[in-house]
Amino acid sequence: MVNLSERRRFLKIMLGIGAIALIGSVGGSKLSELLASNEGARSALTPLDQWYVVQIGNTPNVNVDNYRLMVDGLVNNPLSLSLKDIMQMESTSLRDTIQCVSDSFFLKANVEWRGVPLQSILKLAKPLSNATKVILYGADGYTSDLPLYKAMEPTTLVVYEADQELLLQQHGYPVRMAVPGWWGYKYVKWLVRISLTNTDYLGYWESRGYPDIAKK
Ligand SMILES: Nc1nc2c(c(=O)[nH]1)N[C@H]1C(S)=C(S)[C@@H](COP(=O)(O)O)O[C@H]1N2
Ligand SMILES: [Mo]
């Protein structure tokens, strides 16, 4: 999708198919195990230095001292949360596989996230009854969006840790989204704003033709 030329991407996809064919010839059950959608729950964590990076531009430098996560739009109670505010809320941890839609075989990582359910933050902000969507903004200008029902699922998290460490800068420090079950482009890094809307807003990749309902 980004950072890979079309040609290299094509080669990588072909390699992926080769690997699948090879495993497939060894045993069909192994193939289905590998491709199981909840594999993050069972597979070993990906070493941090093998975790892929995909992004539309450079890694922004977010200063944690004046970091705020704004929650606004169709809410009764707009919020401005510091990292400390977020870390003091009740947290959830879960294992997940983050996967890029452009090369879902190589560009993926098994990660143990820790963060706050987006649901808890939205409940504090008190959405108005006409809100239908949540727009997620990154400090690099990237955006994505979630329908309110997905935003309210208990596994949709505003995360600040991966594998029990603070996020690395290239993976979204200090705060990013994790949306288990959906493609990586929903996992907005350097999350700085959450805005509720009743418009059919489409994010960066969604407005370029990738599915808005991004179920893997
Ligand atoms: N702010 C921001 N978030 C982003 C992106 C981006 O360009 N900017 N790219 C998305 C895409 S397409 C993917 S696949 C994942 C990759 O996350 P990673 O680099 O931590 O593996 O981040 C998503 N979140
Ligand atoms: Mo991606």
Side-chain angles (χ1 to χ4, degrees):
M1 193 181 292
V2 280
N3 289 347
L4 290 175
S5 70
E6 283 302 312
R7 189 140 194 262
R8 210 169 138 223
R9 203 165 104 194
F10 177 73
L11 281 174
K12 284 190 118 187
I13 291 166
M14 293 311 288
L15 281 167
I17 292 166
I20 291 170
L22 198 67
I23 298 159
S25 69
V26 173
S29 61
K30 275 207 176 128
L31 178 61
S32 53
E33 265 170 45
L34 248 179
L35 299 179
S37 61
N38 68 338
E39 66 178 282
R42 278 177 288 133
S43 305
L45 294 176
T46 303
L48 278 175
D49 60 350
Q50 287 170 36
W51 181 355
Y52 78 96
V53 174
V54 168
Q55 58 198 43
I56 58 167
N58 294 328
T59 297
N61 232 320
V62 179
N63 181 345
V64 182
D65 296 329
N66 42 37
Y67 171 81
R68 292 292 182 278
L69 174 59
M70 308 296 295
V71 186
D72 61 14
L74 298 179
V75 294
N76 269 314
N77 184 33
L79 304 173
S80 167
L81 303 172
S82 67
L83 182 60
K84 197 175 157 204
D85 293 334
I86 295 169
M87 286 179 150
Q88 282 174 347
M89 294 179 71
E90 193 179 335
S91 70
T92 297
S93 109
L94 56 84
R95 278 205 183 193
D96 174 37
T97 303
I98 177 173
Q99 265 178 301
C100 184
V101 69
S102 71
D103 179 346
S104 60
F105 196 83
F106 289 97
L107 301 182
K108 68 174 183 183
N110 298 323
V111 181
E112 185 178 303
W113 305 113
R114 177 174 294 282
V116 176
L118 176 55
Q119 185 188 73
S120 312
I121 292 174
L122 294 181
K123 281 179 181 161
L124 280 179
K126 302 194 192 326
L128 299 179
S129 59
N130 59 337
T132 52
K133 253 192 171 181
V134 167
I135 309 172
L136 306 162
Y137 295 83
D140 58 344
Y142 181 84
T143 63
S144 183
D145 61 270
L146 294 172
L148 198 55
Y149 75 83
K150 186 63 180 173
M152 294 299 285
E153 277 184 11
T155 56
T156 297
L157 302 180
V158 171
V159 302
Y160 49 82
E161 276 182 24
D163 306 348
Q164 295 170 35
E165 307 277 357
L166 293 178
L167 293 172
L168 295 180
Q169 203 167 338
Q170 67 269 31
H171 295 301
Y173 178 79
V175 172
R176 77 177 299 168
M177 289 302 305
V179 189
W182 285 26
W183 291 112
Y185 55 89
K186 299 290 181 179
Y187 289 54
V188 175
K189 303 195 268 191
W190 317 294
L191 182 71
V192 289
R193 182 178 171 207
I194 299 169
S195 194
L196 283 84
T197 182
N198 59 0
T199 69
D200 192 20
Y201 180 91
L202 293 174
Y204 185 89
W205 288 116
E206 293 87 347
S207 64
R208 287 163 176 78
Y210 285 88
D212 195 31
I213 306 301
K215 209 170 172 330
K216 288 197 265 185

